[in-house]
Amino acid sequence: MTWKTDGLVHEPPELPFSIATARSQLRSGELSPVTLVELLLERICRLDPMLGAFTSVFEAEARQEAKRCRERLEAGDDALLLGIPIAIKDLIDVAGKATTCASRVRAGHLASQDAALITKLRAAGAILLGKTNLHEMAFGITTQVSCFGPARNPWQPDHITGGSSGGSAAALAAGLTLGAIGTDTGGSIRIPSSLCGTIGIKPTHGRVSCRGVWPLSWTLDHAGPMARTVEDAAWILEALDGFDAGDPMSRKLPPFRAAEALALPVRGLRVGIDRAWCDEQLTGPVRSVFELALSALESAGLTLVPIEIPERDVAQSISLTLLRGEAWAVHEELLASFEDAYLPETRLRLEECCHLTAADQARAMRYRLEYGRQAESLLESVDLLATPTTPCTAPVSSAEHVDLLGGQREAIRPLLTRFMRLFNLLGWPALSLPIGRDDLGLPIGLQFAAGPGDEARLVTAAAALETALGMPRMLASPTTELKPGQGREATNEP
């Protein structure tokens, strides 16, 4: 790629690693939003055919908006995300654009208006870069099942990204965007964040409006930010935050302020560790890196507190019951009308949901309320909980099982959601951040969870750990790791 200014050819400007760096450069005039968008569009054009991170790219619109942002910056506008390109998971409505949910079932669907969170991003000055790939209908955790073809992990392209927000995580890890939006019903922000080495925040249920987001399970669905640093994710969360009277699941919570959260003292925060949960069914690299991260937390002044989370397995099962019952409610009529349009794996999973009874669902809803009160008693002794995000690094895309310590072998789906579903059931905020990599260079994540409305302490602790570990700021290099034949396959786009 050549870069021309005033008729002279130059090396292209360096792509900022973080939103924080880009914000500073944009405001000082060192970087133009027009240049930033062009850098990203060039990377998308060059790398995304191999990675399958995007389902569509808003080239013309992004360029036009970049010019408007340049004018606003020159006029002294200081909107929170002014000039920052953000990628949007393709189940979130953007007016005039297709919302495909990576499914032929949604062929031809154009959104008539922006989702509530898109309205907030526009108000904050963000530039919408395009839509990202996902596991069909968000009903899966690999992003291997998509009518656009699979998303590939930029660190090792023959390994999965995780899902369902796999395209968002892959785009971030490969430097195709500075920020992204995902959704999380049973780990769909945190799993790909862990497997691709990015930051992902599942906010308190109802903090970020899901109006205009295609549902999977209203009780468990969350929308939230994904980024490459904790600070960046915090800025996006602040932009998304706020009560929405048009969303029946929206909650009035104290506002989240990124700068305040990043400035809170970390020393003395109590971090609960359920050893029986965290030490079993892990791979060796995850266990070793997780222990090093816990030691780093103690060195940073946090206190580790042994705890026992009650009825974990029951809670996980109840969460799955709620998800299946509500997913069936969403898809029952569509499945009857468009059965052949669903990809086989998605169709099979949905058909399994129809066997639940109204009594099953009613009991699950009651248990959720009772369990929430029981779990909140944990917060009397700790401020945060910590677990590995996923028990393993990203599996090979063809794998069905993962070998763990002690000779155990576990199927991928229950393994990757092992530390996830509990916090969707409770509606508590949770955050994943990278804490190291295995021998293949695949990222390993740690998860923090906190009580309802307490995203500030999540960000405080995560930023402290990020600093304590001195995590190198690196982008994946898919051009050097892809082998012939590993590019994106031909697909049946909707």
Side-chain angles (χ1 to χ4, degrees):
M1 177 183 179
T2 58
W3 203 268
K4 294 185 178 181
T5 57
D6 300 326
L8 301 176
V9 178
H10 301 274
E11 288 296 316
E14 184 177 351
L15 180 68
F17 179 83
S18 68
I19 290 174
T21 299
R23 287 178 84 240
S24 175
Q25 292 178 349
L26 289 168
R27 280 153 180 75
S28 69
E30 180 182 347
L31 178 68
S32 162
V34 174
T35 301
L36 179 56
V37 164
E38 291 300 333
L39 286 170
L40 292 170
L41 290 177
E42 186 277 331
R43 284 184 71 85
I44 292 169
C45 180
R46 177 162 49 89
L47 300 179
D48 197 53
M50 310 176 223
L51 297 176
F54 281 86
T55 62
S56 61
V57 181
F58 306 157
E59 291 187 40
E61 296 89 343
R63 288 185 169 114
Q64 291 171 2
E65 187 58 34
K67 292 176 182 177
R68 285 192 286 268
C69 289
R70 180 177 60 190
E71 294 171 357
R72 291 173 62 183
L73 285 162
E74 290 171 350
D77 195 336
D78 195 36
L80 187 64
L81 297 177
L82 185 56
I84 301 298
I86 302 289
I88 309 299
K89 186 176 180 178
D90 195 358
L91 48 54
I92 300 169
D93 284 347
V94 174
K97 300 296 184 181
T99 306
T100 72
C101 302
S103 177
R104 293 190 297 267
V105 175
R106 301 277 292 170
H109 173 84
L110 294 179
S112 60
Q113 61 184 18
D114 284 341
L117 68 84
I118 297 298
T119 301
K120 285 186 171 290
L121 287 174
R122 291 192 195 276
I127 299 171
L128 305 186
L129 199 54
K131 292 286 195 79
T132 52
N133 205 357
L134 64 147
H135 203 109
E136 185 179 26
M137 295 295 185
F139 204 9
I141 48 86
T142 65
T143 315
Q144 294 293 293
V145 179
S146 163
C147 68
F148 294 96
R152 299 181 183 280
N153 194 311
W155 297 103
Q156 293 285 344
D158 56 343
H159 291 241
I160 68 171
T161 59
S164 61
S165 307
S168 294
L172 283 165
L176 309 186
T177 184
L178 290 188
I181 306 300
T183 64
D184 191 312
T185 307
S188 291
I189 286 175
R190 293 159 290 156
I191 292 169
S193 293
S194 178
L195 301 190
C196 292
T198 61
I199 311 296
I201 300 178
K202 180 194 78 65
T204 303
H205 190 252
R207 178 180 284 283
V208 175
S209 175
C210 284
R211 178 166 54 90
V213 179
W214 182 261
L216 179 59
S217 168
W218 302 281
T219 303
L220 306 174
D221 287 347
H222 303 64
M226 302 171 71
R228 287 202 288 269
T229 71
V230 174
E231 180 181 2
D232 287 0
W235 288 121
I236 300 174
L237 180 58
E238 180 174 334
L240 299 176
D241 182 31
F243 176 72
D244 176 16
D247 177 3
M249 294 296 182
S250 187
R251 296 177 59 184
K252 292 183 178 179
L253 295 166
F256 173 80
R257 297 288 180 260
E260 294 175 7
L262 292 163
L264 287 173
V266 69
R267 186 166 296 276
L269 284 180
R270 302 164 299 170
V271 181
I273 311 292
D274 186 335
R275 282 292 182 183
W277 198 24
C278 293
D279 287 354
E280 298 174 358
Q281 292 183 298
L282 304 177
T283 61
V286 170
R287 176 177 284 179
S288 299
V289 171
F290 180 64
E291 291 300 327
L292 289 173
L294 294 183
S295 296
L297 285 174
E298 288 187 301
S299 298
L302 291 86
T303 302
L304 304 186
V305 180
I307 60 168
E308 182 177 346
I309 299 173
E311 300 182 15
R312 293 188 314 268
D313 294 340
V314 176
Q316 300 274 73
S317 176
I318 291 297
S319 177
L320 194 53
T321 297
L322 286 171
L323 187 158
R324 288 171 172 165
E326 294 183 353
W328 181 248
V330 170
H331 289 277
E332 181 180 10
E333 292 184 6
L334 282 172
L335 196 61
S337 301
F338 302 102
E339 180 180 359
D340 292 340
Y342 285 89
L343 294 172
E345 180 181 307
T346 307
R347 185 171 64 246
L348 178 60
R349 290 197 68 193
L350 285 169
E351 288 170 347
E352 292 171 349
C353 296
C354 72
H355 302 297
L356 289 170
T357 67
D360 293 330
Q361 199 73 358
R363 282 191 290 266
M365 290 297 293
R366 180 174 177 82
Y367 179 88
R368 174 174 172 266
L369 295 173
E370 294 173 345
Y371 186 71
R373 294 194 186 97
Q374 184 180 6
E376 284 192 14
S377 65
L378 290 170
L379 302 176
E380 297 171 4
S381 59
V382 299
D383 303 301
L384 301 161
L385 282 67
T387 73
T389 309
T390 54
C392 63
T393 54
V396 175
S397 57
S398 60
E400 296 182 358
H401 298 83
V402 174
D403 293 323
L404 306 172
L405 288 170
Q408 302 176 81
R409 170 168 280 202
E410 182 69 47
I412 286 173
R413 188 188 302 161
L415 184 67
L416 291 181
T417 58
R418 183 163 181 258
F419 299 113
M420 300 289 105
R421 297 192 189 280
L422 177 70
F423 301 115
N424 290 85
L425 181 71
L426 293 170
W428 293 7
L431 179 155
S432 178
L433 77 157
I435 54 172
R437 294 197 279 168
D438 69 7
D439 292 342
L440 291 176
L442 291 165
I444 295 168
L446 179 142
Q447 175 180 233
F448 285 116
D454 201 4
E455 284 83 353
R457 275 196 276 206
L458 279 186
V459 167
T460 301
L465 181 56
E466 187 179 54
T467 299
L469 293 174
M471 290 298 294
R473 298 190 167 190
M474 298 173 59
L475 295 178
S477 303
T479 51
T480 62
E481 295 175 358
L482 279 168
K483 301 180 177 66
Q486 284 188 324
R488 189 173 178 179
E489 295 94 342
T491 61
N492 296 313
E493 298 188 7

